[in-house]
C-alpha cells in the first residue's frame, strides 16, 4: 500500500472565493423635495381637473369572456343548423369596438410609465416629467434625473401621484407621467405646474447660470490665451470612481470537496 504524499497538490488547493468588481458612482443621485408642501396638492388637483375634463380613460374588458364569445360564434358559423339560414350572419359575429383608450389623440400627447418617459427623454420629446415616490426600488427612476437635466426638462417627484391618477385613467399604477412637446391640450397644465418644480441636483452638470463657451468668446474674443482659460475654469471638481468588490452570497457555507483515494495494489 502506498501512502499519499505529504503536502497538498495543485488540484487539492482551496479555490478562492469568487469576487465581482464593479465601479460605483461617487455622487449621490436623488430627487429633491418640492419647494412647499402645498405644491403637492396643487399639482395633483390640476392634473385631476384636466384629466377628468378631457375624459381620457382606458377601458378594460375581460379577455376570457371576449375569447369565449368569439369561439362560440366561430362554431355556429362553421356548423349551421337547419333552423338557421347559412347565408345570414350570426348575431354574435357583429364587430364590436375593441377595448382601449377613449381618445387616442390625447393619449399620444402623454407618456405614461417609466419606459415611455425614458424613451421620450432620450428623443427629447417631453416638456415636463412627474414621478411618483412609491416606486420600489428607488433606483428604477434615478436614471430620469440626469436625462431630464441634460435635456433641460423640468422634473420632480410628486408623492401620491400613482394613487391619485391610476383610478382616473383606468390603470393599475402611474409611476411616471410625461407631457410631450407641442401638446395643445395640456399646454396650460404644463405652464401651471412648471413654476412649482424644483431644480434637479446633478453635481457633474453645470447650472444654467454659468456662461457658455459661446458667451465667453463674444465677451473676450477669440484670441484668448490658454492661461486665461484655465483661470476661469468651473469650480466643479470631478471625483474618481469607487471600486467595489462584491462577494455573491457571502453567507453560503462552502464545504471542501472530499476526494476518494484510489487504492494501489
Amino acid at each position: 500500500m502506498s501512502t499519499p504524499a505529504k503536502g497538498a497538490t495543485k488540484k487539492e488547493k482551496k479555490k478562492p472565493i469568487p469576487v465581482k468588481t464593479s465601479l460605483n458612482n461617487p455622487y449621490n443621485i436623488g430627487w429633491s423635495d418640492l419647494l412647499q408642501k402645498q405644491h403637492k396638492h396643487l399639482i395633483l388637483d390640476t392634473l385631476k381637473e384636466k384629466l377628468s375634463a378631457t375624459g381620457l380613460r382606458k377601458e378594460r374588458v375581460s379577455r376570457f369572456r371576449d375569447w369565449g364569445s368569439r369561439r362560440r360564434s366561430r362554431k355556429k358559423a362553421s356548423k349551421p343548423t337547419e333552423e338557421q339560414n347559412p347565408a345570414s350572419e350570426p348575431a354574435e359575429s357583429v364587430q364590436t369596438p375593441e377595448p382601449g383608450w377613449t381618445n387616442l389623440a390625447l393619449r399620444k400627447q402623454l407618456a405614461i410609465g417609466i419606459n415611455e418617459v425614458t424613451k421620450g427623454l432620450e428623443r427629447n420629446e417631453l416638456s415636463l416629467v412627474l414621478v411618483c415616490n412609491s416606486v420600489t426600488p428607488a433606483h428604477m427612476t434615478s436614471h430620469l434625473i440626469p436625462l431630464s437635466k441634460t435635456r433641460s426638462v423640468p422634473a420632480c417627484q410628486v408623492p401620491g401621484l400613482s394613487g391619485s391618477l391610476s383610478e382616473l385613467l383606468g390603470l393599475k399604477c402611474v409611476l411616471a407621467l410625461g407631457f410631450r412637446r407641442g401638446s395643445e391640450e395640456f399646454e396650460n397644465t404644463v405652464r401651471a405646474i412648471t413654476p412649482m418644480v424644483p431644480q434637479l441636483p446633478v453635481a457633474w452638470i453645470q447650472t444654467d447660470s454659468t456662461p457658455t463657451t459661446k458667451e465667453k468668446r463674444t465677451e473676450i474674443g477669440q484670441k484668448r490665451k490658454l492661461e486665461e482659460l484655465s483661470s476661469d475654469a468651473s469650480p466643479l471638481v470631478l471625483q474618481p470612481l469607487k471600486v467595489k468588490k462584491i462577494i455573491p452570497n457571502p453567507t453560503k457555507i462552502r464545504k471542501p470537496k472530499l476526494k476518494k483515494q484510489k487504492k494501489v495494489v
Side-chain angles (χ1 to χ4, degrees):
M1 299 291 291
S2 63
T3 58
K6 293 182 179 181
T9 60
K10 292 183 179 180
K11 293 183 179 179
E12 294 177 356
K13 287 183 179 179
K14 188 177 180 181
K15 294 182 179 180
I17 299 174
V19 178
K20 295 182 179 179
T21 57
S22 62
L23 297 176
N24 287 353
N25 190 355
Y27 302 100
N28 295 325
I29 302 175
W31 295 95
S32 56
D33 298 333
L34 294 174
L35 301 177
Q36 298 179 8
K37 294 182 179 180
Q38 60 182 358
H39 287 172
K40 166 193 168 183
H41 301 287
L42 292 174
I43 292 173
L44 294 178
D45 293 341
T46 304
L47 294 174
K48 286 180 182 179
E49 291 177 1
K50 187 60 180 179
L51 293 176
S52 59
T54 56
L56 183 63
R57 182 180 176 83
K58 186 175 183 181
E59 299 177 353
R60 292 183 174 272
V61 179
S62 177
R63 294 183 178 181
F64 179 77
R65 294 180 181 178
D66 190 15
W67 175 79
S69 60
R70 289 179 181 178
R71 186 177 181 183
R72 288 192 295 270
S73 62
R74 289 175 183 175
K75 285 185 177 181
K76 290 184 179 181
S78 59
K79 297 180 180 180
T81 57
E82 295 180 356
E83 297 178 358
Q84 293 178 348
N85 186 6
S88 62
E89 296 181 357
E92 294 183 2
S93 64
V94 179
Q95 295 182 357
T96 56
E98 296 183 358
W101 292 91
T102 54
N103 194 335
L104 190 59
L106 288 177
R107 173 63 181 86
K108 291 181 179 180
Q109 298 181 14
L110 297 175
I112 303 174
I114 298 175
N115 293 336
E116 287 191 19
V117 171
T118 303
K119 292 179 182 178
L121 286 173
E122 290 176 350
R123 299 169 183 174
N124 199 11
E125 296 176 352
L126 303 182
S127 59
L128 177 65
V129 173
L130 302 176
V131 178
C132 185
N133 65 336
S134 63
V135 180
T136 52
H139 65 80
M140 290 181 63
T141 59
S142 60
H143 66 282
L144 300 177
I145 298 175
L147 278 176
S148 302
K149 186 70 174 180
T150 53
R151 272 71 176 178
S152 300
V153 176
C156 68
Q157 193 178 54
V158 182
L161 180 69
S162 179
S164 302
L165 303 183
S166 58
E167 295 182 0
L168 190 63
L169 293 174
L171 299 173
K172 293 182 180 180
C173 61
V174 182
L175 301 180
L177 179 65
F179 299 87
R180 301 192 183 275
R181 298 182 186 273
S183 59
E184 299 178 356
E185 191 67 29
F186 298 98
E187 184 178 359
N188 296 331
T189 305
V190 173
R191 289 181 179 177
I193 297 176
T194 300
M196 294 181 281
V197 176
Q199 293 184 358
L200 294 174
V202 182
W204 62 90
I205 299 177
Q206 296 180 359
T207 58
D208 298 336
S209 59
T210 56
T212 59
T213 55
K214 292 183 179 179
E215 293 175 354
K216 289 181 179 180
R217 288 177 181 176
T218 53
E219 292 178 359
I220 302 173
Q222 297 181 356
K223 296 181 180 180
R224 190 169 184 178
K225 298 180 181 180
L226 294 175
E227 296 179 355
E228 296 178 358
L229 286 171
S230 61
S231 62
D232 293 339
S234 62
L236 178 64
V237 179
L238 297 179
Q239 298 181 10
L241 294 175
K242 296 180 180 180
V243 180
K244 185 178 180 181
K245 294 184 178 181
I246 303 172
I247 301 175
N249 197 1
T251 59
K252 181 180 179 181
I253 300 174
R254 295 173 173 82
K255 296 181 179 180
K257 294 182 180 180
L258 299 176
K259 294 183 179 180
K260 296 181 180 180
Q261 297 179 358
K262 296 181 180 180
K263 295 181 179 180
V264 180
V265 181

